[in-house]
Amino acid sequence: SVEIFPYYNEFIPGPDTTSEIFAKNIIKAVEKTEKQDDYYQITPDKIVILSMNYQTMSELMAAKWFEQFDTYLKSLPDSRIKTGTIDEYRKNQDIKVPAYIPTAMNRMLDNWCGYLVRDRNRTSFKNTVYNFMDNYKSCRNLYNRITYMTILINQFKKDKMRKKAAREMLLEAQDGCAVLCTMNGPYANTMHRQNAYRSLITAEKFIRDSGKFTENISRFDYTNDGINEYICSMQSYFAYVSLLGGAVQELDVMKNCGNYADNLNRVFEYDGADDNYNRGLFIDHLFGNDQFDRYINGEAAGDGVFSRIYYKEVKLSASRKELQLLAEAEYKPTNQKVSLRKKYIFNPQTLEYEEFH
């Protein structure tokens, strides 16, 4: 992977720009991006990189602008703004925002994909299938499951006939109707995805039935976003827990061959509201009275506390099949620090869940 840090040279100050105005412009721009930012609560620090040429640096140094700005920051000990280098930020930052840089795409497919993506890509780049999956998380989740099963099947070496049968089921799951959706509505698309999950679960059962299956729970970057998820393979089910929301984002029951966590996120154009969080199992929200009224009326509500923040691992016991997560956040209406602890216990037949406030 490649790490990319964009420049925000529109904020480069001039020799006559006051420190107060410069800081105000930076804070205003950052706060605007935080309104729908999944990464805010776990990593509230934002990096704004300015790339200055020799002439600009010379003018600012001649005007002693950097000394004045340093004095200004020291007079405000509670200011969010801190100065530093890119390397200083990289060493302390594990969270990465996944992005795709397209090269080219068939024009007809681009027009079709652009229609479904709802014109969220406002740049001059063409839309790609990755833009589509970024907006439709249920399709991305299926793609992740296909990728994971591909890895498992390729690593399986014990029985050529079982491996061949598993590959046939994997090929059956790689159906464009399931990954890209159809124009027949959300319920038809759900049926296509569940059929794909059924094929993937059947493929995994072929591998498991070789007699060497061992129940396990482990860390693995299942979604390929730079952050480990918790993969749980038990006798009766496969599941993974995401740090985002501390929720179970996939629960495949082996007996019924279905994903019980394949929840549909609402789409504004069709449902009149966006959920603004990834639906799953055991999602928590923190609402005020007004927000709760909007929530039960089917409207978008809340500022993402507990539903759109990243949890921290407290304990992972592979032997006891136990996972504990902790969320610490700030409830903006009252500026209060809040926390929530979750505990998952993975048994061969059941999944137990507890939470502590």
Side-chain angles (χ1 to χ4, degrees), residues 194 197-198 201 236-238 248-264 279-282:
Q194 287 297 338
Y197 279 114
R198 184 175 296 109
I201 296 171
S236 299
Y237 59 88
F238 167 89
V248 175
Q249 292 294 343
E250 184 172 339
L251 179 60
D252 297 340
V253 178
M254 294 297 162
K255 181 178 180 180
N256 296 335
C257 292
N259 177 13
Y260 284 70
D262 184 34
N263 297 333
L264 289 174
R279 286 195 173 188
L281 302 178
F282 310 119

Side-chain angles (χ1 to χ4, degrees), residues 21-59:
I21 292 178
F22 174 75
K24 183 178 179 180
N25 291 337
I26 293 290
I27 293 174
K28 182 179 179 180
V30 169
E31 289 180 344
K32 184 178 180 181
T33 66
E34 290 174 347
K35 292 181 179 179
Q36 299 297 333
D37 187 358
D38 289 339
Y39 299 84
Y40 169 67
Q41 291 287 358
I42 189 172
T43 172
D45 292 335
K46 305 296 178 186
I47 181 171
V48 179
I49 301 175
L50 307 180
S51 178
M52 304 181 191
N53 57 32
Y54 176 80
Q55 180 179 353
T56 301
M57 288 287 293
S58 299
E59 293 175 353

